[in-house]
Amino acid sequence: MKIILSRKGFDTTSGGCPSPILPDGTLLTMPIPDNEALKYSDLQYNGCTYDRILSSLKPGRVYDGCHLDPDIREGVRVKVVNNWVPAFGQTGSALGILRNAGVAVGDLFLFFGIFRQTEYDPDGNLRFVKKKKPIQIIHSYLQIGEILDTPSKIKRCSWHPHASVKGYHPERNAVYLPCQKLSIYPSVPGCGVLSYREDRVLTMEDRSAANWKEHSFLMPDHIIGSRKNSAKNGSIYYQGQWQELVLKPSESAEQWAKKIICE
């Protein structure tokens, strides 16, 4: 089984701030802004729409359309979608990386992004905790059960942004659906969202968010393709706004994934 570290959600470029770690430990991934029909006001968590949450965290900034992908948090839409299933789409050069690495049914996406701890102010509004720095953390996962890679197949997920015929080249577009159960722990669903926990944090303590802990299976010689660790004085740092990092199959990587998802 190959494990893919897949960067998703807000950052300083796409969105302008980290996604929030809610006071209850929920990792509420904010989908990146995009000129699409789905609005932040169409999404909600515990009855509060995403646009209201963002207006508290980033006052004065207006958020409109968004690209909800991966779409794996059940009940996030204000208006329920009939026959909804969790799904993740990829396209362009990032899809090329997955295909060149031979990513297939049974492989496991670990989605990560940049987050920051939040709290409620005296008026009940959400705000970032001043003394807490942004971190990169694994927020959700999906083990591939089926790959939709033609326009006719992708149309099955009509609600998903990658089902847009106009938006994507038919040969450079794919949607990944989860398996029913996680192969490394069959009592757990094949797809899900995770809450804050220290072992899910990728960032090395007291370093900038993109400097990761030095797990051996995340080092360049365990990555499929050409990657260079640009970190200085310890940690792992892969430069650029890349999306997909495919690990070579290994027992240590599988045990790590099992622990952060299941235990």
Side-chain angles (χ1 to χ4, degrees):
M1 179 178 74
K2 290 184 287 293
I3 294 172
I4 308 101
L5 274 293
S6 184
R7 186 200 312 259
K8 296 293 173 284
F10 264 29
D11 59 27
T12 52
T13 301
S14 297
C17 66
S19 291
I21 305 172
L22 299 183
D24 66 357
T26 298
L27 298 171
L28 193 63
T29 311
M30 288 292 151
I32 62 172
D34 206 347
N35 186 25
E36 297 185 5
L38 188 70
K39 311 297 182 185
Y40 288 100
S41 57
D42 296 326
L43 306 176
Q44 61 85 32
Y45 180 76
N46 281 351
C48 187
T49 57
Y50 279 26
D51 62 323
R52 287 179 57 198
I53 293 171
L54 287 168
S55 68
S56 295
L57 297 176
K58 196 74 172 177
R61 181 160 181 172
V62 177
Y63 293 90
D64 191 19
C66 63
H67 184 81
L68 183 59
D69 190 26
D71 181 4
I72 58 179
R73 186 182 291 276
E74 190 170 3
V76 73
R77 287 180 172 79
V78 173
K79 185 177 180 180
V80 176
V81 172
N82 293 328
N83 301 315
W84 175 88
V85 296
F88 164 58
Q90 193 53 281
T91 189
S93 60
L95 177 60
I97 289 172
L98 299 177
R99 287 176 170 171
N100 290 339
V103 170
V105 169
D107 292 335
L108 176 65
F109 285 104
L110 296 179
F111 299 110
F112 75 94
I114 188 166
F115 286 78
R116 188 177 168 190
Q117 184 66 55
T118 62
E119 63 184 2
Y120 293 109
D121 68 16
D123 296 322
N125 298 311
L126 199 67
R127 66 186 181 188
F128 288 119
V129 178
K130 289 184 179 179
K131 294 184 179 180
K132 295 292 186 178
K133 295 181 179 180
I135 57 171
Q136 289 188 352
I137 185 170
I138 295 166
H139 55 75
S140 51
Y141 70 94
L142 183 151
Q143 186 170 23
I144 303 170
E146 185 178 3
I147 302 174
L148 312 180
D149 55 3
T150 65
S152 60
K153 291 179 180 178
I154 293 172
K155 283 183 180 178
R156 286 167 44 193
C157 300
S158 59
W159 63 88
H160 195 278
H162 281 252
S164 169
V165 176
K166 295 181 180 179
Y168 299 95
H169 190 285
E171 295 179 0
R172 296 194 296 272
N173 190 28
V175 170
Y176 299 85
L177 303 182
C179 54
Q180 289 295 313
K181 299 294 181 181
L182 198 63
S183 64
I184 54 177
Y185 207 90
S187 63
V188 172
C191 176
V193 295
L194 303 171
S195 59
Y196 175 84
R197 209 171 68 192
E198 181 58 35
D199 62 335
R200 293 168 179 157
V201 176
L202 292 166
T203 301
M204 180 177 280
E205 188 174 0
D206 296 327
R207 300 296 294 271
S208 63
N211 287 85
W212 291 359
K213 301 170 185 175
E214 293 180 288
H215 295 292
S216 60
F217 45 81
L218 296 179
M219 299 300 284
D221 56 340
H222 289 271
I223 305 299
I224 296 177
S226 178
R227 293 283 183 176
K228 179 182 178 181
N229 179 18
S230 300
K232 298 179 181 179
N233 301 319
S235 80
I236 305 170
Y237 178 66
Y238 294 122
Q239 290 181 325
Q241 289 295 317
W242 55 268
Q243 292 187 52
E244 311 293 349
L245 192 76
V246 185
L247 310 186
K248 295 177 181 177
S250 74
E251 180 65 23
S252 57
E254 283 193 26
Q255 290 302 314
W256 174 68
K258 181 179 178 179
K259 183 177 185 294
I260 62 177
I261 294 172
C262 309
E263 297 181 6

